Amino acid sequence: MKRGLFKTGAVVLNSFDYGESDRILTFYTLSFGKLRGIAKGARRSKKRFVGNLDPMSRLDLVFFHSDKSELVRVEEVKLADAFPGLKADIDSLSVGCYLLELTSEMTREGQVMPQVYTLLTGFLKAIEEGADPVAFTRFFEIRLLSMLGYLPHLDACVVCRKTDNDTQKRFSSERGGIVCRPCSIGSAGLIPVSSATAGMLAMSAKLDIDKLRRLKPNAAFMEEGERLLYDFIKFQIGKELKTKRFLEKMRKAEARA
Ligand SMILES: [Zn+2]
């Protein structure tokens, strides 16, 4: 990126206070991929950035980039969408936060992928408009993995490339896909997955939001898909996601209530 002033669409992935009055933010932007920036005086000058730097907000962002700093300087923001419907409901809000953290952890600065921006904003909007947050979390995970080149091998065996007729299959995050019975001997950490779930995951990786809305995944897909994808994601990024732990805590609390 050259030195200068730039404008782009952006979603706030996260932000934290810095020093006396500044705020450091991570954005996913349409034209520049993931960006980290500083909003000087964000907490002092209420009128300049008021309410517009909250995580999940979609903005028209104007920033200044110089070669001297790793952080761009946030000059001006205009709120394009605050997703109020998402934030009004604790379930969809926590799912939204998970999508933000996942995007932040899976992408790296300097990698420009407008399709990731479109995916994230499209999914936030779809969940706000009533798409099933649990199913759409699975669809987001598989679509994002696919875009970033990490789509696991879900049809044939990832080792020997043969297909079998087993209705119950085994998935290996380490190998990056389904492993057939003979190839799985001696492997640890295999995740059971039905061929129906594996098939639906493979299909949903290729579908756009309108087509995904029409899918009616069953309870087995939700459960198996979550276990498989999260194990694979954890393997890829090498750590747990904070928002995932929160989602699990909430679910346990709901089950008790
Ligand atoms: Zn095999």
Side-chain angles (χ1 to χ4, degrees), residues 121-241:
T121 52
F123 268 70
L124 291 174
K125 200 74 209 163
I127 296 168
E128 180 175 49
E129 288 170 354
D132 180 349
V134 178
F136 262 60
T137 307
R138 303 292 83 81
F139 296 152
F140 182 84
E141 290 168 330
I142 195 82
R143 292 285 318 271
L144 184 66
L145 287 167
S146 168
M147 274 179 189
L148 297 173
Y150 297 113
L151 183 65
H153 211 76
L154 291 161
D155 39 19
C157 169
V158 66
V159 183
C160 68
R161 306 280 157 166
K162 282 187 198 138
T163 40
D164 58 37
N165 295 320
D166 292 1
T167 49
Q168 198 58 39
K169 299 185 182 294
R170 296 140 300 267
F171 181 85
S172 163
S173 291
E174 207 180 323
R175 306 266 193 166
I178 301 280
V179 240
C180 73
R181 201 174 295 274
C183 292
S184 72
I185 294 167
S187 295
L190 293 172
I191 295 168
V193 58
S194 63
S195 55
T197 292
M200 189 173 247
L201 280 176
M203 180 174 67
S204 56
K206 297 180 206 135
L207 298 179
D208 63 28
I209 286 179
D210 285 336
K211 295 211 176 82
L212 289 172
R213 274 182 210 269
R214 282 181 236 145
L215 294 183
K216 296 272 174 274
N218 58 17
F221 170 85
M222 304 288 203
E223 210 176 289
E224 295 174 345
E226 176 173 12
R227 201 181 317 142
L228 183 158
L229 288 170
Y230 190 59
D231 191 82
F232 185 63
I233 286 164
K234 246 182 0 190
F235 181 80
Q236 293 299 337
I237 61 181
K239 65 174 184 186
E240 296 268 355
L241 293 170

Side-chain angles (χ1 to χ4, degrees), residues 14-254:
N14 60 62
S15 74
F16 61 90
D17 291 341
Y18 182 74
E20 291 275 293
S21 60
D22 303 342
R23 215 154 179 207
I24 288 183
L25 303 114
T26 308
F27 301 100
Y28 201 90
T29 69
L30 177 62
S31 312
F32 303 92
K34 188 164 78 173
L35 268 190
R36 293 198 334 122
I38 184 160
K40 294 244 181 214
R43 283 178 291 145
R44 207 181 316 133
S45 157
K46 290 268 185 268
K47 63 175 186 297
R48 205 162 151 220
F49 299 121
V50 61
N52 293 351
L53 295 175
D54 297 337
M56 212 174 294
S57 293
R58 184 164 70 80
L59 318 167
D60 294 325
L61 167 71
V62 178
F63 67 89
F64 181 78
H65 171 74
S66 81
D67 313 323
K68 290 187 200 113
S69 173
E70 279 178 38
L71 300 174
V72 302
R73 199 174 68 216
V74 178
E75 292 292 330
E76 212 182 298
V77 295
K78 191 167 147 259
L79 189 63
D81 197 344
F83 300 106
L86 257 185
K87 291 176 185 167
D89 172 73
I90 182 75
D91 289 320
S92 55
L93 171 67
S94 35
V95 161
C97 291
Y98 173 73
L99 303 194
L100 299 181
E101 190 185 7
L102 185 61
T103 305
S104 182
E105 291 294 340
M106 294 288 302
T107 56
R108 56 175 199 271
E109 285 162 71
Q111 175 192 47
V112 180
M113 299 188 80
Q115 64 273 41
V116 170
Y117 176 82
T118 307
L119 183 80
L120 178 60
T121 52
F123 268 70
L124 291 174
K125 200 74 209 163
I127 296 168
E128 180 175 49
E129 288 170 354
D132 180 349
V134 178
F136 262 60
T137 307
R138 303 292 83 81
F139 296 152
F140 182 84
E141 290 168 330
I142 195 82
R143 292 285 318 271
L144 184 66
L145 287 167
S146 168
M147 274 179 189
L148 297 173
Y150 297 113
L151 183 65
H153 211 76
L154 291 161
D155 39 19
C157 169
V158 66
V159 183
C160 68
R161 306 280 157 166
K162 282 187 198 138
T163 40
D164 58 37
N165 295 320
D166 292 1
T167 49
Q168 198 58 39
K169 299 185 182 294
R170 296 140 300 267
F171 181 85
S172 163
S173 291
E174 207 180 323
R175 306 266 193 166
I178 301 280
V179 240
C180 73
R181 201 174 295 274
C183 292
S184 72
I185 294 167
S187 295
L190 293 172
I191 295 168
V193 58
S194 63
S195 55
T197 292
M200 189 173 247
L201 280 176
M203 180 174 67
S204 56
K206 297 180 206 135
L207 298 179
D208 63 28
I209 286 179
D210 285 336
K211 295 211 176 82
L212 289 172
R213 274 182 210 269
R214 282 181 236 145
L215 294 183
K216 296 272 174 274
N218 58 17
F221 170 85
M222 304 288 203
E223 210 176 289
E224 295 174 345
E226 176 173 12
R227 201 181 317 142
L228 183 158
L229 288 170
Y230 190 59
D231 191 82
F232 185 63
I233 286 164
K234 246 182 0 190
F235 181 80
Q236 293 299 337
I237 61 181
K239 65 174 184 186
E240 296 268 355
L241 293 170
K242 284 182 230 139
T243 48
K244 180 74 180 179
R245 280 207 295 266
F246 178 75
L247 279 171
E248 274 161 12
K249 254 189 227 165
M250 240 178 47
R251 196 154 49 190
K252 278 181 197 145
E254 275 170 15

